[in-house]
Amino acid sequence: MKWLVSTTADLDIEMLEDGSYRTRNGELTLRLAREYGTGLEIAEFCMGDSLGKGFDETDRLVRHKLSSADGVCLHAPFNELFPSAIDEEAAALAEKRYAQALMLADGYGISKVVIHSGYAPSIYFDAWFLEQSVRFWKAFLAKHQGHVDICLENVMESSPAILKELMEALQEPRIGLCLDIGHAFRCSRLDPIDWLEELSPWLRHFHIHDNKGEYDTHEAPGQGCINVDGFLKRAQTLCPEATYTIESLDAEKACFWLREHGYL
């Protein structure tokens, strides 16, 4: 199993008086990557503003980390971005940010970009989400060529069915799925293993963290109610080529748990 640590655990985001955000960035995950032999999932660009006026400083920090640890995955921005948007101006913003993320990943030598699916059940009907997402991604891939794979991540989906429909409709080799087990457990009545069984043909990446089912708290495995050990054992069988990211805010405790259970 190829393990990564998300640099989410390094980020301390502060809102400034003008409404913009400043991100303080530590080096905990770089130390863990060295100690446990993992790679990194770069999360510094999750805030869209980091690709704007905050880019130079963010880029410098990311390059510093990548000089000492392998970067295998980059998390694209997700704030106010909807690939299923009906308003063409909103869709254009999503295209711009995702294209920037792919270009950055290619420049950093990173092979995968995780992008939120954009499913918003209180905003779009499922049929709209499916139709608009297929239209968006077909057009996006035709316009933005490259060798970086895209992994669409579940966030608010209550079942794996909508993502399965999307993958079946797209049939695009460059697009697969990232299963976030914390999101699945929080938003669904199904066990994350059920999601795994349903989506395994398209799963290329996993986000591993825990919670108690009430809030998306990004706990270390063993701190919530998810059967993480059982999930990982089954995932190894169904998705032998997939990569795995520790996306816990307590990355140190998560790494320790994974080593105790024989995964690191």
Side-chain angles (χ1 to χ4, degrees):
M1 300 174 78
K2 176 61 178 178
W3 281 95
L4 319 175
V5 178
S6 171
T7 58
T8 300
D10 289 336
L11 306 182
D12 179 15
I13 301 171
E14 175 189 13
M15 187 173 77
L16 305 179
E17 289 184 2
D18 64 359
S20 63
Y21 290 84
R22 175 174 59 197
T23 303
R24 296 187 177 90
N25 202 313
E27 293 197 353
L28 168 65
T29 58
L30 181 55
R31 175 175 64 79
L32 293 174
R34 291 167 176 163
E35 181 178 347
Y36 288 91
T38 73
L40 294 176
E41 179 172 325
I42 299 301
E44 276 80 359
F45 295 102
C46 283
M47 301 286 287
D49 191 48
S50 61
L51 286 165
K53 61 185 178 184
F55 175 76
D56 289 342
E57 177 64 11
T58 306
D59 178 62
R60 184 187 67 78
L61 289 166
V62 168
R63 290 184 183 278
H64 166 65
K65 291 181 181 180
L66 294 178
S67 68
S68 300
D70 290 336
V72 179
C73 188
L74 182 146
H75 200 306
F78 56 82
N79 303 100
E80 297 87 45
L81 300 181
F82 295 95
S84 56
I86 295 169
D87 186 327
E88 63 180 18
E89 294 294 328
L93 176 59
E95 179 190 350
K96 175 183 175 180
R97 291 307 192 199
Y98 299 158
Q100 287 175 310
L102 291 183
M103 184 173 63
L104 274 176
D106 192 47
Y108 291 146
I110 288 174
S111 60
K112 292 180 182 178
V113 169
V114 171
I115 297 178
H116 285 185
S117 72
Y119 179 72
S122 60
I123 298 176
Y124 302 109
F125 294 117
D126 284 3
W128 291 2
F129 168 80
L130 184 61
E131 291 170 3
Q132 291 297 118
S133 294
V134 170
R135 183 177 292 111
F136 177 91
W137 288 115
K138 290 281 188 182
F140 183 91
L141 291 180
K143 187 175 179 180
H144 302 284
Q145 304 296 320
H147 304 288
V148 177
D149 287 336
I150 295 169
C151 299
L152 299 181
E153 176 188 352
N154 63 296
V155 181
M156 300 180 69
E157 290 85 348
S158 59
S159 86
I162 189 69
L163 292 178
K164 181 179 179 180
E165 288 184 64
L166 179 57
M167 289 297 101
E168 290 174 338
L170 278 175
Q171 294 292 318
E172 292 284 355
R174 282 183 61 200
I175 295 187
L177 294 176
C178 167
L179 177 54
D180 185 302
I181 67 171
H183 294 165
F185 189 72
R186 165 65 183 84
C187 295
S188 172
R189 295 181 179 179
L190 297 175
D191 189 282
I193 293 178
D194 294 328
W195 285 67
L196 172 64
E197 299 278 352
E198 189 79 5
L199 299 176
S200 60
W202 303 280
L203 287 171
R204 301 177 186 176
H205 191 59
F206 294 93
H207 282 170
I208 304 300
H209 53 100
D210 207 346
N211 64 65
K212 295 180 174 64
E214 297 179 352
Y215 303 101
D216 182 26
T217 49
H218 284 255
E219 304 284 350
Q223 301 301 299
C225 301
I226 302 175
N227 178 13
V228 178
D229 191 34
F231 179 92
L232 292 176
K233 284 183 169 61
R234 186 63 177 146
Q236 287 181 88
T237 300
L238 291 178
C239 308
E241 302 302 317
T243 47
Y244 299 77
T245 289
I246 300 160
E247 207 184 38
S248 170
L249 297 177
D250 192 343
E252 188 150 27
K253 186 177 289 184
C255 285
F256 183 77
W257 184 95
L258 289 169
R259 176 167 286 179
E260 276 195 319
H261 287 77
Y263 295 107
L264 283 180

